[in-house]
Amino acid sequence: MADIDVEEMPMAPHMLAPDMVVEPRVQVNIDWSQVDLDSIELPEGENFGILSDDDQEEEEILETNTGFGNVIVVDNLPVVAPEKHEKLENVIRKIFGQIGVIRERGLWMPREDGDGKTKGYAFIEYTTPQEAQTAIEQTNGYKLDKAHVFAVNMFDDFEKYMKVPDEWVPLEIKPYTPAENMLAWLTDDRGRDQFVIRFGSDTEVFWNDARQGKPDPVYHRSFWTESFVQWSPLGTYLATIHRQGAAVWGGAQTFNRLTRYIHPQVKLIDFSPGEKYMVTYSSHEPSNPRDTQRVALNIFDVRSGKVLRDFKGSADDFATGGTGGVAGVSWPVFRQVSFASSKPKWAGGREDKYFARIGKNVISVYETETMSLLDRKSLKVDNVMEFMWSPTDPLLSLFVPEGGGGNQPARVSLISIPSREELRQKNLFSVSDCKMYWQSNGDYLAVKVDRYTKTKKSTYTGFELFRVKERDIPIEVLELENKNDKIVAFAWEPKGHRFAIIHGDGPRPDISIYSMRSPNNVGRVTKLTTLKAKQANALYWSPMGKYIVLAGLKAYNGQLEFYNVDELETMASGEHFMATDVDWDPTGRFVATSVTSVHQMENGFNIWSFNGKLLYRLPRDRFFQFLWRPRPPSLLSAEEEAEIAKNLRKYSKKYEVEDAEQSNINTAQDLEHRRKLMDDWKSWVSRWKQMYEEEKPYREDLRDGEPSDDDEDLETEEVEVEEIMKCEEEVISYGFEQVD
């Protein structure tokens, strides 16, 4: 047994600071130089005091509820005598009561002790923090008259302002250290794409190397995140989630931590399309069971990690108008818009000009430059249920269900921002449900409408198709041949004019493909084909269009069909048993199918070519995530891309030569590997024969000098053996009775 003595614990460089005092500990004498610390894995959910991220853990910032989150302070009010108190109070109630419900005895104007005049400010208490925040946005700077312009702040902000030091202290200028080029991964000489996977407690980043027929490792780390990882929309950053908040990492080969975002117990994150902002979400159970769950959202500047704006309230405040999400909150809560992207949920581009959220009877649009309400007021829409931004323009579509007991029709509207002008409206009747689908270029909007039949006992489905970029925004109605068919899936072709629908009630539904252009280029929707009885329940278009994967996931056991829409023909069929996810790479050259830990077996992923050839597999137990690294938009114009596509043979010659060279290298490597295996086999056989000859005298001695190595010396004798397995005697009755 090893000797045990008492000494100071040696400091592990990844967890202890030099000035930390270490208490004496009982220690077993172990040669730590022989211990591979990287191979030690801790049970999930435990850290045993080992700090994460190879750094000292930052102290968690605990938010304390002061009880004044719904109280505002209104300054620069008129100073009036006691006889005018009631009149001033009525004016204040009229202005601020339009924004939210002021609590009983929730308006207080302090007065002077002597003459009873007001002091020029007031405290107003609303029922919710959201109403208080909206009041600040809409009334700060409100001009009551020439001499009185309101200055409105949260009551809780005063403590923050009181902590501002009296003397200015210049910031410490840190020495410049050049950082790794965040876009270096885009300059890969072989044009490869990266992807990240998460399995067990490990996270790995790979190059997709189809020529080698296997992934090329880039980076590996254990316990990198506590829940999930997420790429930013342009692929610059990889975000990880921790108890204290989120962090982003960047690079091509070495992923260094760039910024931290402090938000304790963060559950969800979302980036703006231009990667300038990050939204984080958390929910907290109330101490009183009768209270509602509390929700906190922060908007961070991605580069600095500063909180630019926060929203707090009950889960009900953030669930208004939306469905699904986490804990009843529709995610993402905020949806942004500017001018150059194809992200349907964030609608807009890299300028990140606006973001918006839905509330009770309002849609609040904010300017990111000031993080304040556009024109200091929300867009009022009674009973608004859902909205979506156009992917390319400051244009939003919204859905309002039927009202007035069915007397007011449902409607879908297109609203231009910032003018708030309604460009188009379509009234809908007998509506059961409605979903909106924007095409990636913002050219078309499809509205799937489920309507009640006359008996109200069943529903049928149709589509309202908006041609958004055409004059007066014409609308077409599309109904399937069998209106009672259930719509399983709908998907627009990216950068194109076609869409596909899976419809039918049986285990093998039909798939119909339509075009928004007719053969004579007339503005009418045209059906291209219907594929009968397909084992599919999901549609995945290539990011470049033209190709689509018809997938049968989960209950359909991973059936895959790779379809060429230009030629209206199937290129290949395949199967990835129990597949749960399908993901196209950003270039449209490769497809990944994966089986996550929803299933206990067959975990891992497969990589396919665009035309359905299986390139390689990578099994991983407890597989959680597969994410391609996004690419930023191409710098080429549409005309330049069309010219390359037209002369693709000329540009592809270079890569064909490289492919041939790589193929020759792979062939040579395979031949060398086989030659080595054959040499190893011959060497083993030679050693075995030598040993066999050396042991021959010993074998003869064991057989009393009789040789038995040669077959000619063997004599064969056939022997027959008979064996009785079982013998039984049984008396059989023939049914005769004995008569005396």
Side-chain angles (χ1 to χ4, degrees):
M1 184 172 178
D3 294 333
I4 298 178
D5 55 12
V6 178
E7 59 179 20
E8 287 192 349
M9 281 284 289
M11 290 193 302
H14 65 284
M15 63 177 288
L16 297 180
D19 56 348
M20 289 182 67
V21 178
V22 181
E23 297 294 334
R25 295 287 189 271
V26 176
Q27 182 193 8
V28 178
N29 288 333
I30 297 176
D31 185 2
W32 292 99
S33 64
Q34 302 300 318
V35 177
D36 183 7
L37 296 177
D38 293 334
S39 66
I40 300 175
E41 294 189 7
L42 302 178
E44 191 170 359
E46 284 287 347
N47 62 8
F48 292 93
I50 299 177
L51 305 184
S52 62
D53 299 335
D54 299 327
D55 267 338
Q56 186 171 352
E57 205 170 53
E58 294 186 11
E59 292 184 4
E60 292 187 9
I61 299 178
L62 299 178
E63 293 192 11
T64 56
N65 187 357
T66 62
F68 298 105
N70 54 348
V71 178
I72 63 173
V73 182
V74 185
D75 203 359
N76 292 337
L77 293 175
V79 176
V80 299
E83 59 270 17
K84 294 185 177 181
H85 284 181
E86 184 178 355
K87 183 177 180 180
L88 178 59
E89 182 175 334
N90 290 335
V91 170
I92 295 174
R93 285 188 180 276
K94 183 177 180 180
I95 295 173
F96 289 90
Q98 296 176 358
I99 300 170
V101 179
I102 300 176
R103 286 190 172 180
E104 185 179 356
R105 301 174 62 184
L107 173 59
W108 179 52
M109 291 186 296
R111 307 178 187 184
E112 298 288 352
D113 293 335
D115 54 13
K117 288 184 177 182
T118 60
K119 293 186 176 182
Y121 59 90
F123 300 91
I124 299 176
E125 183 180 5
Y126 284 100
T127 56
T128 67
Q130 286 299 118
E131 292 175 335
Q133 190 68 49
T134 303
I136 293 175
E137 294 166 355
Q138 297 188 8
T139 61
N140 186 36
Y142 178 84
K143 189 174 182 181
L144 185 65
D145 54 41
K146 292 183 179 180
H148 300 92
V149 179
F150 290 170
V152 187
N153 294 281
M154 294 294 295
F155 183 87
D156 287 343
D157 288 343
F158 280 86
E159 182 180 359
K160 178 178 67 176
Y161 297 141
M162 292 297 291
K163 293 181 180 179
V164 176
D166 295 332
E167 296 184 5
W168 176 76
V169 178
L171 294 175
E172 179 184 356
I173 300 177
K174 298 180 179 180
Y176 171 74
T177 54
E180 183 181 0
N181 181 5
M182 295 293 102
L183 301 179
W185 61 278
L186 292 169
T187 62
D188 181 62
D189 56 357
R190 285 181 273 175
R192 299 175 298 176
D193 281 284
Q194 287 186 353
F195 60 83
V196 62
I197 63 173
R198 196 169 63 84
F199 60 96
S201 58
D202 297 319
T203 304
E204 292 182 332
V205 180
F206 290 96
W207 289 108
N208 174 37
D209 203 329
R211 291 176 179 174
Q212 298 283 354
K214 60 181 180 180
D216 185 7
V218 175
Y219 189 79
H220 171 269
R221 187 163 181 158
S222 299
F223 302 102
W224 199 3
T225 182
E226 295 184 22
S227 55
F228 62 90
V229 295
Q230 181 174 324
W231 293 109
S232 58
L234 305 179
T236 308
Y237 311 110
L238 181 67
T240 56
I241 306 301
H242 310 274
R243 289 192 309 276
Q244 308 97 316
V248 296
W249 313 70
Q253 302 293 338
T254 58
F255 283 79
N256 299 314
R257 189 180 61 228
L258 305 175
T259 315
R260 281 180 171 179
Y261 310 92
I262 305 301
H263 188 160
Q265 301 178 29
V266 62
K267 293 183 178 178
L268 296 171
I269 65 170
D270 201 16
F271 286 92
S272 66
E275 302 182 340
K276 296 178 183 177
Y277 310 104
M278 178 195 285
V279 181
T280 59
Y281 160 88
S282 66
S283 61
H284 307 274
E285 295 294 335
S287 55
N288 188 340
R290 292 175 295 179
D291 294 339
T292 59
Q293 191 178 36
R294 305 297 297 173
V295 167
L297 294 120
N298 292 336
I299 301 179
F300 290 91
D301 178 84
V302 168
R303 291 194 174 183
S304 67
K306 286 183 58 178
V307 178
L308 303 178
R309 180 71 191 260
D310 64 351
F311 296 84
K312 296 181 177 67
S314 68
D316 296 337
D317 296 332
F318 292 91
T320 302
T323 58
V326 174
V329 177
S330 179
W331 188 259
V333 171
F334 300 105
R335 305 175 188 184
Q336 300 201 2
V337 59
S338 55
F339 301 99
S341 180
S342 58
K343 293 283 288 182
K345 288 186 178 179
W346 286 88
R350 300 171 64 178
E351 293 185 10
D352 295 340
K353 191 171 183 180
Y354 304 113
F355 66 93
R357 67 175 293 263
I358 194 169
K360 186 178 181 180
N361 299 325
V362 296
I363 296 175
S364 300
V365 182
Y366 300 82
E367 292 182 290
T368 55
E369 184 177 354
T370 60
M371 289 291 162
S372 60
L373 269 173
L374 179 66
D375 297 333
R376 296 183 179 274
K377 58 183 178 181
S378 298
L379 180 65
K380 293 186 178 181
V381 186
D382 290 340
N383 300 322
V384 62
M385 179 63 66
E386 181 61 291
F387 82 97
M388 292 183 69
W389 287 101
S390 162
T392 54
D393 302 297
L395 177 69
L396 59 86
S397 61
L398 57 88
F399 167 66
V400 178
E402 291 177 303
N407 295 324
Q408 297 177 355
R411 74 178 190 273
V412 173
S413 300
L414 296 179
I415 309 293
S416 177
I417 299 297
S419 67
R420 303 170 187 254
E421 177 187 1
E422 186 176 62
L423 303 180
R424 194 71 162 90
Q425 176 180 309
K426 180 64 182 289
N427 290 334
L428 307 169
F429 298 91
S430 300
V431 176
S432 166
D433 191 19
C434 179
K435 286 185 172 58
M436 297 176 288
Y437 304 90
W438 278 96
Q439 185 256 4
S440 62
N441 290 338
D443 294 334
Y444 311 108
L445 170 67
V447 180
K448 182 177 79 71
V449 184
D450 296 335
R451 291 182 171 91
Y452 290 109
T453 59
K454 291 182 179 180
T455 62
K456 301 288 185 179
K457 294 181 179 179
S458 60
T459 61
Y460 64 96
T461 302
F463 290 87
E464 307 283 338
L465 303 173
F466 292 68
R467 297 179 180 272
V468 179
K469 299 292 180 69
E470 297 182 16
R471 183 177 180 181
D472 297 329
I473 312 181
I475 303 173
E476 283 187 81
V477 178
L478 172 65
E479 292 185 348
L480 303 179
E481 295 177 1
N482 183 357
K483 295 195 300 183
N484 295 322
D485 272 359
K486 176 185 176 182
I487 304 299
V488 179
F490 176 96
W492 283 105
E493 176 186 24
K495 300 183 178 181
H497 55 87
R498 295 172 289 204
F499 59 90
I501 305 173
I502 302 179
H503 54 94
D505 295 318
R508 288 182 171 268
D510 297 338
I511 301 176
S512 296
I513 301 176
Y514 294 83
S515 172
M516 294 296 289
R517 301 174 185 172
S518 65
N520 298 324
N521 203 26
V522 180
R524 294 183 60 184
V525 63
T526 305
K527 185 166 75 170
L528 301 179
T529 187
T530 294
L531 308 174
K532 295 290 186 179
K534 292 294 181 180
Q535 197 169 344
N537 58 4
L539 300 166
Y540 297 93
W541 284 93
S542 163
M544 301 295 112
K546 184 177 179 179
Y547 306 111
I548 187 172
V549 175
L550 316 176
L553 304 180
K554 298 179 181 178
Y556 286 76
N557 291 329
Q559 299 297 317
L560 305 170
E561 184 171 338
F562 297 80
Y563 194 80
N564 184 334
V565 182
D566 281 359
E567 304 297 333
L568 297 179
E569 64 179 11
T570 298
M571 299 180 292
S573 296
E575 179 184 7
H576 186 177
F577 184 61
M578 295 195 298
T580 57
D581 298 277
V582 176
D583 299 280
W584 281 89
D585 85 315
T587 65
R589 296 176 297 169
F590 304 100
V591 182
T593 59
S594 53
V595 180
T596 60
S597 58
V598 172
H599 299 296
Q600 298 297 322
M601 304 187 311
E602 305 292 336
N603 281 193
F605 66 91
N606 295 352
I607 299 294
W608 310 73
S609 66
F610 74 95
N611 57 357
K613 180 182 178 182
L614 180 60
L615 302 176
Y616 61 87
R617 308 173 186 265
L618 190 63
R620 286 288 188 270
D621 291 335
R622 296 173 61 211
F623 188 79
F624 300 126
Q625 275 187 287
F626 180 102
L627 295 172
W628 290 103
R629 189 170 192 172
R631 285 178 174 263
S634 172
L635 300 178
L636 300 176
S637 65
E639 292 76 16
E640 289 172 327
E641 288 185 358
E643 191 274 335
I644 292 175
K646 183 179 179 181
N647 301 284
L648 191 60
R649 293 295 303 172
K650 180 179 71 174
Y651 294 101
S652 63
K653 287 181 179 178
K654 169 189 172 184
Y655 301 101
E656 288 175 355
V657 171
E658 291 181 0
D659 287 345
E661 292 176 352
Q662 185 63 47
S663 178
N664 292 334
I665 292 174
N666 291 344
T667 302
Q669 290 175 346
D670 288 342
L671 290 174
E672 181 63 28
H673 180 63
R674 292 179 183 178
R675 187 178 296 110
K676 183 177 183 302
L677 290 176
M678 181 59 73
D679 292 342
D680 291 344
W681 166 255
K682 290 180 178 179
S683 176
W684 183 85
V685 170
S686 176
R687 291 197 305 271
W688 186 87
K689 286 183 176 180
Q690 181 181 355
M691 182 180 65
Y692 183 82
E693 292 297 329
E694 292 175 352
E695 294 178 350
K696 187 174 182 180
Y698 299 104
R699 290 196 299 276
E700 292 184 358
D701 288 343
L702 291 172
R703 297 182 177 88
D704 298 328
E706 292 291 335
S708 62
D709 291 341
D710 296 330
D711 293 341
E712 297 177 356
D713 298 331
L714 297 178
E715 294 182 2
T716 304
E717 180 181 355
E718 293 185 3
V719 178
E720 292 185 4
V721 178
E722 294 184 1
E723 182 178 353
I724 298 176
M725 302 299 296
K726 189 175 184 181
C727 182
E728 291 183 356
E729 292 184 2
E730 183 177 355
V731 178
I732 300 176
S733 174
Y734 290 95
F736 297 107
E737 297 181 357
Q738 185 176 359
V739 180
D740 294 336

